[in-house]
Amino acid sequence: MLDTDKDGILDYLDLDSDNDGISDKIEGIKDTDGDGIPNFRDTDSDNDGIPDKLEGIIDSDGDGIPNYLDTDSDGDGIADQLEGNSDTDQDGLPDYLDLDSDNDGYPDKLEGTIDTDKDGIPDFRDLDSD
């Protein structure tokens, strides 16, 4: 018998087996990211590098997919795995939820992941991309 989150409660009795703030009933036994770990035991159910505990069950981009299962939580065309949990423009919104990560007035969707000026900083994070 497993106690995935090591809280002293066996998983079959635990309402949140991985302690990510999302109930096992909501997460279910699916393995969304194909890593061999069912979502109710997986602390990163979409394998984007951002813990489910941070992403939660909200739906930021209105696509009907909760953030903990969405690989592009803000719908800007840039994968959460690339945007990560950083806050480039320090506006209090992590890049994976920010539609303009560098706050330069150009949306991330337009700038994308290219590096126009070849300085090693993708345009969506670069204040001077040319």
Side-chain angles (χ1 to χ4, degrees):
M1 300 211 192
L2 291 174
D3 177 12
T4 302
D5 60 6
K6 312 262 187 274
D7 63 357
I9 304 170
L10 295 176
D11 288 353
Y12 80 96
L13 296 172
D14 199 337
L15 298 177
D16 185 7
S17 297
D18 56 3
N19 196 28
D20 62 0
I22 305 167
S23 101
D24 291 354
K25 189 174 185 174
I26 291 173
E27 289 184 296
I29 60 171
K30 291 182 183 176
D31 175 15
T32 307
D33 58 8
D35 64 1
I37 304 169
N39 290 349
F40 78 97
R41 288 187 174 141
D42 196 340
T43 56
D44 186 5
S45 298
D46 57 3
N47 201 25
D48 63 359
I50 304 167
D52 294 350
K53 191 171 202 155
L54 290 177
E55 290 185 296
I57 60 172
I58 58 173
D59 177 28
S60 298
D61 58 6
D63 65 0
I65 303 171
N67 287 347
Y68 79 98
L69 297 175
D70 197 342
T71 55
D72 184 8
S73 297
D74 57 4
D76 63 1
I78 303 170
D80 292 349
Q81 194 168 27
L82 291 174
E83 290 185 296
N85 193 30
S86 61
D87 180 8
T88 301
D89 59 9
Q90 310 241 325
D91 65 354
L93 203 58
D95 290 353
Y96 77 94
L97 295 175
D98 198 336
L99 296 175
D100 184 5
S101 297
D102 56 6
N103 202 25
D104 64 355
Y106 297 101
D108 294 349
K109 192 172 205 161
L110 177 68
E111 291 184 301
T113 59
I114 58 170
D115 180 9
T116 306
D117 60 4
K118 311 265 189 267
D119 65 355
I121 303 170
D123 290 357
F124 79 95
R125 286 195 170 137
D126 196 343
L127 290 174
D128 184 14
S129 56
D130 59 355

